[in-house]
Amino acid sequence: EASTPVVKTFSDFKSLVFEEVIAKSFLFMVYNGRMTFASPDRYGLLKEYARKNRNNMTLGEKALWSSLRHKFLGHRFYRQYIIADYIVDFLCHEGGVIIEVDGGYHSEPRQAEDDELRTQRLEQLGFHVLRFSNEEILEDIEDVEDRILEFLEQ
C-alpha cells in the first residue's frame, strides 16, 4: 500500500513533483506556491501569438499600456503574458492581478462563456482578474486607472 509523501515546505513540494513534471514534459511557473503549466506543444504557438498581439494591440490596450508600462505607481506590469495555456493582456506579478481588455466580440454569448471559464481557471491559480471594455478605457482612462489602483492597494 503506497503512502502519500509528507510535504512540509515548498522545496519538498518542488522535489516531489519535479520528476513528474519532467516526465510529462510540461513547462511551468510558480505563482503563490502554485504551479501553472503550459504544455510545450502549445507554448511555442502561444509565445508567437503573444508577440503578434503585442505588435497589434487594440486602441484600448494601447491607451492602458501607456499608463501601465512605466511602473504604474510602483507596480510593474507585463503585457501579453502566458499563464498556463492562456495569454493575458496585462499581468502584475506582485499584486497577482490580471487585466483583460475586452473588445466588442466579448459580449457574444459563446465568447462571454469562454471568458467566464478562463477567469475561473485563472482565479483557481491564485490570480485576480479585472475586466474592462475598450470603450471604458477610451472614454474614461482615469476611472479605469483609479479602479486598478484601488484593487492593488487592498
Side-chain angles (χ1 to χ4, degrees):
E1 187 177 324
S3 64
T4 304
V6 176
V7 177
K8 294 183 181 178
T9 66
F10 187 68
S11 293
D12 293 342
F13 174 74
K14 283 194 323 189
S15 298
L16 180 66
V17 298
F18 184 74
E19 288 182 59
E20 187 174 340
V21 168
I22 296 302
K24 289 184 177 179
S25 190
F26 278 97
L27 301 171
F28 66 93
M29 64 175 268
V30 175
Y31 181 76
N32 279 348
R34 295 183 179 166
M35 294 187 143
T36 62
F37 297 90
S39 17
D41 63 327
R42 285 181 230 130
Y43 185 79
L45 293 171
L46 289 169
K47 189 173 178 179
E48 181 181 326
Y49 191 58
R51 184 176 294 119
K52 287 179 182 176
N53 286 351
R54 281 192 293 274
N55 292 325
N56 297 298
M57 295 191 315
T58 66
L59 290 176
E61 289 171 335
K62 285 179 184 178
L64 187 54
W65 180 239
S66 72
S67 291
L68 300 176
R69 72 182 302 163
H70 298 291
K71 280 206 162 188
F72 182 69
L73 294 177
H75 299 280
R76 179 159 185 193
F77 281 85
Y78 300 87
R79 64 184 170 140
Q80 301 301 322
Y81 198 89
I82 299 169
I83 298 175
D85 284 334
Y86 303 110
I87 300 171
V88 300
D89 291 331
F90 302 103
L91 168 69
C92 175
H93 278 289
E94 64 264 14
V97 176
I98 291 170
I99 300 172
E100 291 289 346
V101 179
D102 295 339
Y105 71 94
H106 286 272
S107 62
E108 295 177 12
R110 173 67 183 169
Q111 186 60 48
E113 185 179 307
D114 289 347
D115 287 345
E116 180 59 31
L117 291 172
R118 172 186 166 112
T119 297
Q120 287 174 8
R121 175 69 178 125
L122 291 167
E123 287 176 346
Q124 287 171 350
L125 294 172
F127 296 97
H128 302 282
V129 180
L130 301 176
R131 291 189 165 283
F132 300 99
S133 70
N134 277 314
E135 292 76 22
E136 283 178 284
I137 294 167
L138 295 172
E139 291 172 11
D140 195 354
I141 187 77
E142 292 82 13
D143 180 58
V144 170
E145 291 170 345
D146 288 345
R147 290 164 53 194
I148 294 168
L149 246 153
E150 182 180 312
F151 189 85
L152 287 169
E153 292 175 348
Q154 288 181 11

